[in-house]
Amino acid sequence: MALITLRRNLYHLSNFRIHGALAALKNHPVNHVRKMVKERLCPWFPSLQPEPCRVRFHHACCKKFHSENGDALHPLGEPVFSQAHDWAGPEQNPKSLDEQMFYRRLNDLDSSEDVLHFIGTLQPLPDSLAAGALQRICEVEKKDGNHKLPKGILENGVFQALCVRFEQESPSLSDTALVTALQALSLLYVGPQSNLLLNLVAESRHRVNRGGLEVRSLCILGESLIRLQGPGGETLELIIYQLQGEKLETFAPEDIVALYRILQACAEKVDRHQAFLNKINSFSLSVVSNLSPTLMSQMLTALVALDQTQALPLVIKLGKYAVRHIPHFTHEELRKVLEAFIYFGHNDRFFTTALERHVASLCLTLDPEVISTVMEYCGRKQILSKPIFDAVAETFVGQSEKFSPRQVSELTEPFGKLNYLPPNASALFRKLENLLLARFDYFPPKTLLKILHSCSLIECHPVNFMAKIFSPYFLQQLQGEESSVDRLSLAQLTQLFLTSVLECPFYKVKAGVLLTLFPCGGGFLLCLPPHLLSFSSFDLSQ
């Protein structure tokens, strides 16, 4: 009986709600809804012609129905539009909605001409949106590799009107518009005597002296002034001082990283700001989990530049969360992360496992600089990762011409240091031999000695390069301006000589006699054509 009564009550309640919905539609007819939607969209998209709005009625016996907005379920009789403007969310006001639509459309444009055409079709923009358009223009030109705005953009009428507006109305601009416009101009070279730039910088200085700028505006302004004026300006010092007075709890993660970047630009004054840095390092532990791959890479780079060796707890936590970001780092970001871990001596097995998967799957497409940094990381931390070493060896065989002498050295040293021969060792060292023969004169003496010494450590004795290595000319280059060869180079020379004599009994060192080539104890023998060989005796005891 109770169930029957409940169902009967629900039936009457549903009828009541349907009558309420019909009354609402009478008060707000369909034409009124169409009119309000058109008024909100047409200022930004004049060409937009809204389609007729369809209102669907449902039979009273239906219990639930799917909304127009997806699979969200609404009770029977509840209107689709609860308010005339409530079509993007109950807590989103029309102004913020318009701004989101504007920036979404702006970010979809890939050329400055398209951006200018877009804003030229709109009604006069608020200053914050106009500044956003200026920033997008500069971002697009910088992405295309331009160092300054092209002549065609500078002569565009819409662009000129935009600049005149910022130049003449700088005192009345909002803080957000002011710092955004200055940030945009700092991305590309603008003449230091430009009236627009001078007015914006002067107004920014005035507002900093007056105080009251928000943290985000201070950070953006600080970085813009560094790009425009360098790290030595008085205004920048005042910005840092004001940031020190703010509560770090009010900083967003991107503001914390921006603060690191500002202090990184002033690395020579790190002692003056060390107490503030200690506070930032401690607080940053709470925001690591919210950092994007880009922000994480930038934070680690700043910690290296500022020599924050006492911030190891922060580095360890960054390493822990970097594991999930490895597939999402760009080549440059991954290289910076690895360099930071090398600098701080950090090693994490979970990070190494993730790095193995990433390198093994993408090694053929990785930048040579990233590959050499990965090998340097493995060598410094003595990580014998066969998946990484095998993938790197395969990549070098196929793309050896892309590697610089320094990168070749960083790539080959870990093989000798960790005594590992990859499955394609024969092809690897044959490719290395051909590369050294073709570019011998381009390798710095110490770099070349490191490579050959690494080969000898894994029993790949470079016998036929010995003549050049021990020639007076090469030894003089190795010595440089010093009074004698340094101890490390002397030790490597000694080991090269002794291993070649002891491990290869056939190797005879006689002045004026060409070396005879034979296989060497299962190791790979690097060969020089006989006509390229020259030899001068070198007494290691002297």
Side-chain angles (χ1 to χ4, degrees):
M1 290 297 296
L3 179 60
I4 294 174
T5 304
L6 177 61
R7 295 183 61 182
R8 185 177 300 166
N9 291 337
L10 288 174
Y11 176 82
H12 290 298
L13 178 61
S14 299
N15 287 338
F16 173 77
R17 299 187 70 175
I18 287 177
H19 292 307
L22 292 174
L25 286 173
K26 289 179 181 179
N27 294 332
H28 301 282
V30 174
N31 290 336
H32 174 73
V33 176
R34 289 178 58 195
K35 179 181 179 182
M36 297 309 297
V37 171
K38 185 176 180 180
E39 287 178 354
R40 300 314 306 171
L41 292 179
C42 286
W44 307 122
F45 307 99
S47 61
L48 182 62
Q49 298 294 333
E51 297 179 358
C53 180
R54 300 194 309 271
V55 180
R56 298 191 300 176
F57 293 89
H58 299 265
H59 194 271
C61 295
C62 297
K63 303 300 181 184
K64 295 179 181 180
F65 66 90
H66 292 285
S67 70
E68 295 279 3
N69 210 12
D71 293 332
L73 297 177
H74 296 270
L76 180 63
E78 184 173 331
V80 177
F81 297 109
S82 59
Q83 296 179 5
H85 299 297
D86 193 17
W87 50 273
E91 298 179 357
Q92 194 169 21
N93 59 56
K95 181 178 179 181
S96 63
L97 179 66
D98 291 340
E99 291 183 0
Q100 290 182 15
M101 294 172 61
F102 174 81
Y103 283 115
R104 189 180 301 119
R105 177 69 183 275
L106 197 64
N107 291 331
D108 289 339
L109 302 176
D110 296 327
S111 70
S112 300
E113 291 78 7
D114 291 341
V115 174
L116 291 171
H117 176 73
F118 171 58
I119 64 176
T121 60
L122 305 179
Q123 298 176 3
L125 292 172
D127 56 3
S128 59
L129 299 188
L134 180 62
Q135 184 178 28
R136 181 58 182 167
I137 292 171
C138 294
E139 287 175 349
V140 169
E141 293 301 328
K142 186 175 181 65
K143 184 178 180 181
D144 292 341
N146 296 323
H147 298 289
K148 58 182 181 179
L149 290 170
K151 184 178 180 180
I153 301 299
L154 294 173
E155 295 177 350
N156 184 281
V158 177
F159 182 79
Q160 290 178 351
L162 201 62
C163 293
V164 169
R165 175 180 176 182
F166 284 115
E167 180 181 343
Q168 296 179 350
E169 301 179 7
S170 57
S172 60
L173 294 175
S174 65
D175 293 340
T176 301
L178 178 66
V179 299
T180 302
L182 196 60
Q183 182 186 36
L185 295 177
S186 69
L187 296 176
L188 298 172
Y189 174 77
V190 179
Q193 301 304 317
S194 166
N195 291 333
L196 171 60
L197 188 60
L198 291 175
N199 287 0
L200 292 178
V201 170
E203 181 61 27
S204 301
R205 185 182 298 112
H206 171 70
R207 297 192 190 188
V208 171
N209 292 331
R210 186 180 61 191
L213 289 177
E214 296 180 351
V215 168
R216 176 65 55 83
S217 297
L218 286 172
C219 292
I220 294 176
L221 183 57
E223 290 194 274
S224 302
L225 291 177
I226 289 172
R227 285 192 288 266
L228 292 171
Q229 301 176 344
E234 295 181 1
T235 306
L236 181 62
E237 284 294 325
L238 184 56
I239 289 175
I240 295 176
Y241 177 77
Q242 291 185 9
L243 288 171
Q244 291 180 13
E246 300 286 343
K247 292 183 178 180
L248 292 177
E249 291 76 10
T250 64
F251 284 55
E254 53 268 27
D255 297 331
I256 291 290
V257 178
L259 186 52
Y260 271 115
R261 293 195 298 263
I262 291 173
L263 295 174
Q264 177 186 351
C266 308
E268 67 279 358
K269 303 176 183 177
V270 65
D271 294 337
R272 186 187 307 175
H273 304 302
Q274 188 58 57
F276 185 40
L277 270 169
N278 291 339
K279 291 174 57 179
I280 302 173
N281 294 338
S282 299
F283 176 77
S284 296
L285 289 168
S286 63
V287 303
V288 168
S289 59
N290 298 321
L291 294 179
S292 66
T294 299
L295 294 178
M296 184 172 290
S297 174
Q298 292 175 352
M299 181 179 286
L300 283 167
T301 302
L303 290 173
V304 172
L306 295 168
D307 191 30
Q308 297 298 291
T309 53
Q310 74 280 6
L312 285 181
L314 177 57
V315 174
I316 292 172
K317 191 166 185 179
L318 286 167
K320 175 183 176 182
Y321 281 90
V323 175
R324 68 180 67 173
H325 291 315
I326 284 182
H328 310 293
F329 284 124
T330 64
H331 292 176
E332 182 66 16
E333 289 167 357
L334 179 59
R335 184 178 68 84
K336 293 291 186 180
V337 169
L338 291 171
E339 287 179 347
F341 289 163
I342 292 172
Y343 183 84
F344 290 109
H346 175 69
N347 180 22
D348 181 88
R349 64 187 180 92
F350 297 106
F351 180 83
T352 302
T353 302
L355 188 64
E356 286 178 346
R357 292 195 297 266
H358 182 67
V359 173
S361 61
L362 297 175
C363 197
L364 292 176
T365 61
L366 288 178
D367 186 77
E369 188 67 26
V370 178
I371 294 176
S372 61
T373 306
V374 169
M375 292 301 289
E376 183 184 6
Y377 172 74
C378 292
R380 292 282 189 93
K381 304 308 299 177
Q382 297 187 357
I383 301 171
L384 179 53
S385 171
K386 293 183 179 180
I388 292 179
F389 280 46
D390 293 347
V392 169
E394 181 181 352
T395 301
F396 182 76
V397 170
Q399 305 177 8
S400 60
E401 66 282 352
K402 295 182 179 180
F403 291 81
S404 67
R406 177 186 58 81
Q407 293 168 351
V408 173
S409 174
E410 293 174 350
L411 185 148
T412 55
E413 279 188 76
F415 286 99
K417 185 175 183 179
L418 300 176
N419 195 26
Y420 178 71
L421 278 173
N424 64 339
S426 177
L428 172 65
F429 290 102
R430 185 182 300 112
K431 182 66 69 171
L432 178 60
E433 172 191 1
N434 294 334
L435 180 66
L436 293 179
L437 289 175
R439 299 163 57 184
F440 188 90
D441 294 335
Y442 293 97
F443 280 78
K446 291 187 178 182
T447 301
L448 182 61
L449 183 57
K450 285 181 182 179
I451 295 173
L452 298 180
H453 178 257
S454 299
C455 293
S456 70
L457 292 178
I458 45 179
E459 299 183 2
C460 297
H461 305 290
V463 175
N464 287 290
F465 282 96
M466 299 288 284
K468 287 197 171 186
I469 292 297
F470 287 98
S471 67
Y473 175 73
F474 183 85
L475 294 175
Q476 185 177 7
Q477 284 187 315
L478 190 64
Q479 178 177 332
E481 298 180 357
E482 302 294 330
S483 58
S484 60
V485 178
D486 65 273
R487 295 179 63 87
L488 177 60
S489 298
L490 185 59
Q492 291 173 338
L493 285 169
T494 304
Q495 199 167 12
L496 265 176
F497 179 79
L498 293 178
T499 53
S500 298
V501 172
L502 296 177
E503 298 293 337
C504 303
F506 57 85
Y507 173 60
K508 304 298 182 181
V509 184
K510 294 182 180 180
V513 178
L514 295 178
L515 300 177
T516 306
L517 307 179
F518 294 96
C520 181
F524 188 83
L525 182 62
L526 295 174
C527 306
L528 257 175
H531 67 278
L532 293 180
L533 289 175
S534 61
F535 179 79
S536 296
S537 60
F538 175 65
D539 188 357
L540 292 174
S541 62
Q542 293 180 355

